[in-house]
Amino acid sequence: MKASELRLKNKTDLNVELESLLKAQFRLRMQVATKQLANTSQICKVRRDIARIRTILTEEIGNE
């Protein structure tokens, strides 16, 4: 997910997306703990997307 795509979304959409990514991150961590996750690079991608969304939300708060 690109930052330019995220900037086009409104605050409620970003919060919904953030919540779904946090749930996905939790599921991935549980899969790692139970040795069920084959592709561990997914964790990094989800963490990056979470950081992007939080950064954009912080930028929007500063611009208000």
mmCIF file of all heavy atoms in Angstrom, residues 18-55:
data_model
loop_
_atom_site.group_PDB
_atom_site.id
_atom_site.type_symbol
_atom_site.label_atom_id
_atom_site.label_comp_id
_atom_site.label_asym_id
_atom_site.label_seq_id
_atom_site.Cartn_x
_atom_site.Cartn_y
_atom_site.Cartn_z
ATOM 1 N N LEU A 18 -6.465 0.792 9.653
ATOM 2 C CA LEU A 18 -5.514 0.591 10.738
ATOM 3 C C LEU A 18 -5.967 -0.536 11.657
ATOM 4 O O LEU A 18 -5.174 -1.397 12.040
ATOM 5 C CB LEU A 18 -5.325 1.881 11.531
ATOM 6 C CG LEU A 18 -4.383 1.826 12.727
ATOM 7 C CD1 LEU A 18 -2.966 1.483 12.292
ATOM 8 C CD2 LEU A 18 -4.411 3.142 13.478
ATOM 9 N N GLU A 19 -7.246 -0.545 11.984
ATOM 10 C CA GLU A 19 -7.769 -1.591 12.857
ATOM 11 C C GLU A 19 -7.637 -2.977 12.220
ATOM 12 O O GLU A 19 -7.248 -3.936 12.883
ATOM 13 C CB GLU A 19 -9.236 -1.304 13.173
ATOM 14 C CG GLU A 19 -9.807 -2.201 14.234
ATOM 15 C CD GLU A 19 -11.211 -1.772 14.629
ATOM 16 O OE1 GLU A 19 -11.489 -0.572 14.602
ATOM 17 O OE2 GLU A 19 -12.001 -2.672 14.966
ATOM 18 N N SER A 20 -7.908 -3.068 10.928
ATOM 19 C CA SER A 20 -7.792 -4.370 10.260
ATOM 20 C C SER A 20 -6.330 -4.821 10.179
ATOM 21 O O SER A 20 -6.034 -6.005 10.322
ATOM 22 C CB SER A 20 -8.410 -4.322 8.868
ATOM 23 O OG SER A 20 -7.659 -3.516 8.005
ATOM 24 N N LEU A 21 -5.414 -3.874 9.989
ATOM 25 C CA LEU A 21 -3.995 -4.224 9.953
ATOM 26 C C LEU A 21 -3.490 -4.667 11.327
ATOM 27 O O LEU A 21 -2.654 -5.571 11.426
ATOM 28 C CB LEU A 21 -3.162 -3.055 9.436
ATOM 29 C CG LEU A 21 -3.230 -2.803 7.938
ATOM 30 C CD1 LEU A 21 -2.534 -1.504 7.591
ATOM 31 C CD2 LEU A 21 -2.624 -3.954 7.159
ATOM 32 N N LEU A 22 -3.977 -4.035 12.373
ATOM 33 C CA LEU A 22 -3.579 -4.443 13.720
ATOM 34 C C LEU A 22 -4.072 -5.858 14.026
ATOM 35 O O LEU A 22 -3.356 -6.654 14.649
ATOM 36 C CB LEU A 22 -4.091 -3.447 14.758
ATOM 37 C CG LEU A 22 -3.398 -2.085 14.759
ATOM 38 C CD1 LEU A 22 -4.130 -1.113 15.663
ATOM 39 C CD2 LEU A 22 -1.948 -2.222 15.172
ATOM 40 N N LYS A 23 -5.271 -6.187 13.565
ATOM 41 C CA LYS A 23 -5.776 -7.545 13.745
ATOM 42 C C LYS A 23 -4.960 -8.542 12.933
ATOM 43 O O LYS A 23 -4.660 -9.644 13.403
ATOM 44 C CB LYS A 23 -7.249 -7.621 13.346
ATOM 45 C CG LYS A 23 -8.169 -6.934 14.322
ATOM 46 C CD LYS A 23 -9.613 -7.007 13.880
ATOM 47 C CE LYS A 23 -10.505 -6.257 14.849
ATOM 48 N NZ LYS A 23 -11.912 -6.266 14.421
ATOM 49 N N ALA A 24 -4.582 -8.143 11.719
ATOM 50 C CA ALA A 24 -3.759 -9.015 10.882
ATOM 51 C C ALA A 24 -2.398 -9.236 11.530
ATOM 52 O O ALA A 24 -1.858 -10.354 11.497
ATOM 53 C CB ALA A 24 -3.590 -8.403 9.490
ATOM 54 N N GLN A 25 -1.835 -8.187 12.114
ATOM 55 C CA GLN A 25 -0.547 -8.308 12.791
ATOM 56 C C GLN A 25 -0.648 -9.292 13.957
ATOM 57 O O GLN A 25 0.234 -10.122 14.164
ATOM 58 C CB GLN A 25 -0.074 -6.956 13.284
ATOM 59 C CG GLN A 25 1.281 -6.994 13.943
ATOM 60 C CD GLN A 25 1.668 -5.660 14.546
ATOM 61 O OE1 GLN A 25 0.826 -4.889 14.981
ATOM 62 N NE2 GLN A 25 2.964 -5.389 14.568
ATOM 63 N N PHE A 26 -1.737 -9.213 14.705
ATOM 64 C CA PHE A 26 -1.930 -10.129 15.824
ATOM 65 C C PHE A 26 -2.012 -11.572 15.330
ATOM 66 O O PHE A 26 -1.381 -12.467 15.890
ATOM 67 C CB PHE A 26 -3.199 -9.751 16.585
ATOM 68 C CG PHE A 26 -3.499 -10.678 17.730
ATOM 69 C CD1 PHE A 26 -2.792 -10.590 18.911
ATOM 70 C CD2 PHE A 26 -4.476 -11.650 17.611
ATOM 71 C CE1 PHE A 26 -3.051 -11.456 19.964
ATOM 72 C CE2 PHE A 26 -4.751 -12.516 18.652
ATOM 73 C CZ PHE A 26 -4.044 -12.421 19.833
ATOM 74 N N ARG A 27 -2.788 -11.799 14.262
ATOM 75 C CA ARG A 27 -2.899 -13.150 13.706
ATOM 76 C C ARG A 27 -1.552 -13.675 13.239
ATOM 77 O O ARG A 27 -1.215 -14.845 13.454
ATOM 78 C CB ARG A 27 -3.898 -13.164 12.553
ATOM 79 C CG ARG A 27 -5.343 -13.105 12.996
ATOM 80 C CD ARG A 27 -6.289 -13.442 11.851
ATOM 81 N NE ARG A 27 -6.102 -12.560 10.698
ATOM 82 C CZ ARG A 27 -6.721 -11.402 10.519
ATOM 83 N NH1 ARG A 27 -7.574 -10.975 11.423
ATOM 84 N NH2 ARG A 27 -6.501 -10.667 9.449
ATOM 85 N N LEU A 28 -0.769 -12.815 12.604
ATOM 86 C CA LEU A 28 0.553 -13.242 12.138
ATOM 87 C C LEU A 28 1.469 -13.590 13.312
ATOM 88 O O LEU A 28 2.215 -14.566 13.254
ATOM 89 C CB LEU A 28 1.191 -12.142 11.280
ATOM 90 C CG LEU A 28 0.567 -11.933 9.902
ATOM 91 C CD1 LEU A 28 1.145 -10.685 9.253
ATOM 92 C CD2 LEU A 28 0.776 -13.135 9.016
ATOM 93 N N ARG A 29 1.392 -12.803 14.384
ATOM 94 C CA ARG A 29 2.221 -13.120 15.553
ATOM 95 C C ARG A 29 1.817 -14.446 16.177
ATOM 96 O O ARG A 29 2.664 -15.219 16.628
ATOM 97 C CB ARG A 29 2.118 -12.000 16.593
ATOM 98 C CG ARG A 29 2.985 -10.810 16.239
ATOM 99 C CD ARG A 29 3.062 -9.829 17.378
ATOM 100 N NE ARG A 29 1.796 -9.106 17.481
ATOM 101 C CZ ARG A 29 1.200 -8.790 18.629
ATOM 102 N NH1 ARG A 29 1.750 -9.129 19.772
ATOM 103 N NH2 ARG A 29 0.070 -8.132 18.635
ATOM 104 N N MET A 30 0.526 -14.738 16.184
ATOM 105 C CA MET A 30 0.065 -16.028 16.714
ATOM 106 C C MET A 30 0.527 -17.178 15.822
ATOM 107 O O MET A 30 0.890 -18.251 16.314
ATOM 108 C CB MET A 30 -1.460 -16.055 16.835
ATOM 109 C CG MET A 30 -2.017 -15.142 17.901
ATOM 110 S SD MET A 30 -1.359 -15.528 19.539
ATOM 111 C CE MET A 30 -0.379 -14.085 19.868
ATOM 112 N N GLN A 31 0.539 -16.953 14.518
ATOM 113 C CA GLN A 31 1.014 -17.983 13.608
ATOM 114 C C GLN A 31 2.503 -18.239 13.789
ATOM 115 O O GLN A 31 2.966 -19.377 13.685
ATOM 116 C CB GLN A 31 0.719 -17.595 12.159
ATOM 117 C CG GLN A 31 -0.736 -17.692 11.797
ATOM 118 C CD GLN A 31 -1.011 -17.257 10.373
ATOM 119 O OE1 GLN A 31 -0.101 -16.866 9.649
ATOM 120 N NE2 GLN A 31 -2.270 -17.303 9.978
ATOM 121 N N VAL A 32 3.266 -17.184 14.064
ATOM 122 C CA VAL A 32 4.694 -17.359 14.326
ATOM 123 C C VAL A 32 4.886 -18.160 15.606
ATOM 124 O O VAL A 32 5.722 -19.067 15.669
ATOM 125 C CB VAL A 32 5.406 -15.986 14.421
ATOM 126 C CG1 VAL A 32 6.781 -16.130 15.023
ATOM 127 C CG2 VAL A 32 5.500 -15.346 13.058
ATOM 128 N N ALA A 33 4.101 -17.842 16.618
ATOM 129 C CA ALA A 33 4.252 -18.518 17.909
ATOM 130 C C ALA A 33 3.908 -20.003 17.812
ATOM 131 O O ALA A 33 4.499 -20.819 18.520
ATOM 132 C CB ALA A 33 3.363 -17.851 18.959
ATOM 133 N N THR A 34 2.971 -20.348 16.938
ATOM 134 C CA THR A 34 2.576 -21.753 16.793
ATOM 135 C C THR A 34 3.278 -22.434 15.625
ATOM 136 O O THR A 34 2.898 -23.526 15.233
ATOM 137 C CB THR A 34 1.051 -21.866 16.610
ATOM 138 O OG1 THR A 34 0.673 -21.122 15.450
ATOM 139 C CG2 THR A 34 0.317 -21.360 17.832
ATOM 140 N N LYS A 35 4.275 -21.764 15.060
ATOM 141 C CA LYS A 35 5.085 -22.307 13.954
ATOM 142 C C LYS A 35 4.250 -22.640 12.720
ATOM 143 O O LYS A 35 4.518 -23.595 12.011
ATOM 144 C CB LYS A 35 5.833 -23.571 14.411
ATOM 145 C CG LYS A 35 6.636 -23.422 15.668
ATOM 146 C CD LYS A 35 7.992 -22.870 15.372
ATOM 147 C CE LYS A 35 8.869 -23.026 16.596
ATOM 148 N NZ LYS A 35 9.251 -21.819 17.197
ATOM 149 N N GLN A 36 3.228 -21.821 12.442
ATOM 150 C CA GLN A 36 2.381 -22.057 11.280
ATOM 151 C C GLN A 36 2.639 -21.081 10.137
ATOM 152 O O GLN A 36 2.132 -21.272 9.044
ATOM 153 C CB GLN A 36 0.905 -21.963 11.676
ATOM 154 C CG GLN A 36 0.461 -23.049 12.611
ATOM 155 C CD GLN A 36 -0.980 -22.873 13.037
ATOM 156 O OE1 GLN A 36 -1.596 -21.845 12.759
ATOM 157 N NE2 GLN A 36 -1.512 -23.870 13.720
ATOM 158 N N LEU A 37 3.414 -20.049 10.385
ATOM 159 C CA LEU A 37 3.639 -19.026 9.367
ATOM 160 C C LEU A 37 4.818 -19.417 8.496
ATOM 161 O O LEU A 37 5.937 -19.600 8.984
ATOM 162 C CB LEU A 37 3.897 -17.669 10.032
ATOM 163 C CG LEU A 37 4.027 -16.481 9.088
ATOM 164 C CD1 LEU A 37 2.723 -16.253 8.343
ATOM 165 C CD2 LEU A 37 4.405 -15.242 9.863
ATOM 166 N N ALA A 38 4.571 -19.526 7.190
ATOM 167 C CA ALA A 38 5.631 -19.903 6.265
ATOM 168 C C ALA A 38 6.370 -18.673 5.733
ATOM 169 O O ALA A 38 7.590 -18.682 5.588
ATOM 170 C CB ALA A 38 5.059 -20.697 5.103
ATOM 171 N N ASN A 39 5.625 -17.612 5.449
ATOM 172 C CA ASN A 39 6.214 -16.415 4.861
ATOM 173 C C ASN A 39 6.320 -15.328 5.926
ATOM 174 O O ASN A 39 5.394 -14.551 6.146
ATOM 175 C CB ASN A 39 5.349 -15.944 3.688
ATOM 176 C CG ASN A 39 5.973 -14.800 2.929
ATOM 177 O OD1 ASN A 39 7.085 -14.397 3.216
ATOM 178 N ND2 ASN A 39 5.246 -14.282 1.961
ATOM 179 N N THR A 40 7.471 -15.245 6.569
ATOM 180 C CA THR A 40 7.638 -14.304 7.677
ATOM 181 C C THR A 40 7.785 -12.854 7.219
ATOM 182 O O THR A 40 7.705 -11.947 8.035
ATOM 183 C CB THR A 40 8.855 -14.680 8.530
ATOM 184 O OG1 THR A 40 10.007 -14.734 7.690
ATOM 185 C CG2 THR A 40 8.634 -16.028 9.197
ATOM 186 N N SER A 41 7.982 -12.630 5.924
ATOM 187 C CA SER A 41 8.104 -11.254 5.443
ATOM 188 C C SER A 41 6.775 -10.511 5.515
ATOM 189 O O SER A 41 6.749 -9.278 5.449
ATOM 190 C CB SER A 41 8.629 -11.231 4.009
ATOM 191 O OG SER A 41 7.669 -11.760 3.128
ATOM 192 N N GLN A 42 5.676 -11.224 5.675
ATOM 193 C CA GLN A 42 4.371 -10.580 5.807
ATOM 194 C C GLN A 42 4.323 -9.697 7.043
ATOM 195 O O GLN A 42 3.676 -8.647 7.037
ATOM 196 C CB GLN A 42 3.264 -11.629 5.905
ATOM 197 C CG GLN A 42 3.023 -12.393 4.638
ATOM 198 C CD GLN A 42 1.995 -13.485 4.836
ATOM 199 O OE1 GLN A 42 1.856 -14.021 5.931
ATOM 200 N NE2 GLN A 42 1.277 -13.805 3.781
ATOM 201 N N ILE A 43 4.999 -10.105 8.101
ATOM 202 C CA ILE A 43 4.999 -9.327 9.338
ATOM 203 C C ILE A 43 5.595 -7.944 9.091
ATOM 204 O O ILE A 43 5.054 -6.930 9.530
ATOM 205 C CB ILE A 43 5.764 -10.072 10.451
ATOM 206 C CG1 ILE A 43 5.049 -11.377 10.779
ATOM 207 C CG2 ILE A 43 5.904 -9.210 11.688
ATOM 208 C CD1 ILE A 43 5.815 -12.270 11.715
ATOM 209 N N CYS A 44 6.696 -7.896 8.371
ATOM 210 C CA CYS A 44 7.348 -6.614 8.071
ATOM 211 C C CYS A 44 6.447 -5.726 7.225
ATOM 212 O O CYS A 44 6.360 -4.517 7.471
ATOM 213 C CB CYS A 44 8.652 -6.845 7.322
ATOM 214 S SG CYS A 44 10.093 -6.746 8.359
ATOM 215 N N LYS A 45 5.783 -6.296 6.236
ATOM 216 C CA LYS A 45 4.901 -5.517 5.370
ATOM 217 C C LYS A 45 3.748 -4.919 6.155
ATOM 218 O O LYS A 45 3.394 -3.750 5.978
ATOM 219 C CB LYS A 45 4.372 -6.392 4.241
ATOM 220 C CG LYS A 45 5.437 -6.786 3.249
ATOM 221 C CD LYS A 45 4.899 -7.724 2.193
ATOM 222 C CE LYS A 45 6.023 -8.208 1.303
ATOM 223 N NZ LYS A 45 5.559 -9.219 0.339
ATOM 224 N N VAL A 46 3.166 -5.709 7.041
ATOM 225 C CA VAL A 46 2.043 -5.217 7.843
ATOM 226 C C VAL A 46 2.516 -4.121 8.787
ATOM 227 O O VAL A 46 1.850 -3.090 8.947
ATOM 228 C CB VAL A 46 1.374 -6.381 8.612
ATOM 229 C CG1 VAL A 46 0.383 -5.872 9.625
ATOM 230 C CG2 VAL A 46 0.693 -7.326 7.639
ATOM 231 N N ARG A 47 3.678 -4.311 9.401
ATOM 232 C CA ARG A 47 4.198 -3.293 10.318
ATOM 233 C C ARG A 47 4.464 -1.983 9.590
ATOM 234 O O ARG A 47 4.198 -0.896 10.111
ATOM 235 C CB ARG A 47 5.487 -3.782 10.977
ATOM 236 C CG ARG A 47 5.239 -4.847 12.021
ATOM 237 C CD ARG A 47 6.498 -5.238 12.717
ATOM 238 N NE ARG A 47 7.014 -4.108 13.471
ATOM 239 C CZ ARG A 47 8.250 -4.015 13.936
ATOM 240 N NH1 ARG A 47 9.099 -5.010 13.737
ATOM 241 N NH2 ARG A 47 8.637 -2.979 14.617
ATOM 242 N N ARG A 48 4.994 -2.059 8.365
ATOM 243 C CA ARG A 48 5.251 -0.861 7.572
ATOM 244 C C ARG A 48 3.958 -0.133 7.224
ATOM 245 O O ARG A 48 3.882 1.097 7.286
ATOM 246 C CB ARG A 48 6.003 -1.220 6.290
ATOM 247 C CG ARG A 48 7.458 -0.901 6.400
ATOM 248 C CD ARG A 48 8.158 -1.085 5.074
ATOM 249 N NE ARG A 48 9.216 -2.045 5.313
ATOM 250 C CZ ARG A 48 9.397 -3.173 4.655
ATOM 251 N NH1 ARG A 48 8.604 -3.509 3.672
ATOM 252 N NH2 ARG A 48 10.383 -3.971 4.962
ATOM 253 N N ASP A 49 2.936 -0.919 6.835
ATOM 254 C CA ASP A 49 1.651 -0.308 6.501
ATOM 255 C C ASP A 49 1.021 0.362 7.716
ATOM 256 O O ASP A 49 0.438 1.441 7.604
ATOM 257 C CB ASP A 49 0.700 -1.356 5.918
ATOM 258 C CG ASP A 49 1.088 -1.769 4.505
ATOM 259 O OD1 ASP A 49 1.847 -1.026 3.850
ATOM 260 O OD2 ASP A 49 0.632 -2.844 4.063
ATOM 261 N N ILE A 50 1.146 -0.268 8.875
ATOM 262 C CA ILE A 50 0.634 0.340 10.110
ATOM 263 C C ILE A 50 1.348 1.662 10.377
ATOM 264 O O ILE A 50 0.720 2.673 10.699
ATOM 265 C CB ILE A 50 0.795 -0.625 11.297
ATOM 266 C CG1 ILE A 50 -0.168 -1.806 11.155
ATOM 267 C CG2 ILE A 50 0.569 0.097 12.625
ATOM 268 C CD1 ILE A 50 0.074 -2.926 12.150
ATOM 269 N N ALA A 51 2.651 1.674 10.209
ATOM 270 C CA ALA A 51 3.433 2.897 10.437
ATOM 271 C C ALA A 51 3.039 3.987 9.444
ATOM 272 O O ALA A 51 2.931 5.162 9.820
ATOM 273 C CB ALA A 51 4.919 2.587 10.325
ATOM 274 N N ARG A 52 2.810 3.608 8.182
ATOM 275 C CA ARG A 52 2.399 4.593 7.180
ATOM 276 C C ARG A 52 1.067 5.233 7.554
ATOM 277 O O ARG A 52 0.906 6.454 7.469
ATOM 278 C CB ARG A 52 2.262 3.925 5.811
ATOM 279 C CG ARG A 52 3.550 3.757 5.093
ATOM 280 C CD ARG A 52 3.322 3.319 3.660
ATOM 281 N NE ARG A 52 4.594 2.936 3.087
ATOM 282 C CZ ARG A 52 4.928 1.688 2.794
ATOM 283 N NH1 ARG A 52 4.084 0.702 2.978
ATOM 284 N NH2 ARG A 52 6.119 1.415 2.295
ATOM 285 N N ILE A 53 0.111 4.409 7.947
ATOM 286 C CA ILE A 53 -1.206 4.937 8.289
ATOM 287 C C ILE A 53 -1.122 5.835 9.514
ATOM 288 O O ILE A 53 -1.708 6.920 9.553
ATOM 289 C CB ILE A 53 -2.214 3.790 8.509
ATOM 290 C CG1 ILE A 53 -2.504 3.118 7.166
ATOM 291 C CG2 ILE A 53 -3.500 4.310 9.135
ATOM 292 C CD1 ILE A 53 -3.376 1.897 7.270
ATOM 293 N N ARG A 54 -0.376 5.417 10.522
ATOM 294 C CA ARG A 54 -0.240 6.246 11.723
ATOM 295 C C ARG A 54 0.448 7.565 11.410
ATOM 296 O O ARG A 54 0.100 8.613 11.962
ATOM 297 C CB ARG A 54 0.517 5.487 12.805
ATOM 298 C CG ARG A 54 -0.328 4.413 13.445
ATOM 299 C CD ARG A 54 0.373 3.742 14.582
ATOM 300 N NE ARG A 54 -0.547 2.836 15.283
ATOM 301 C CZ ARG A 54 -0.161 1.898 16.110
ATOM 302 N NH1 ARG A 54 1.114 1.720 16.375
ATOM 303 N NH2 ARG A 54 -1.052 1.120 16.687
ATOM 304 N N THR A 55 1.420 7.553 10.515
ATOM 305 C CA THR A 55 2.110 8.776 10.126
ATOM 306 C C THR A 55 1.155 9.726 9.421
ATOM 307 O O THR A 55 1.122 10.922 9.714
ATOM 308 C CB THR A 55 3.306 8.454 9.210
ATOM 309 O OG1 THR A 55 4.209 7.603 9.908
ATOM 310 C CG2 THR A 55 4.017 9.714 8.767
#
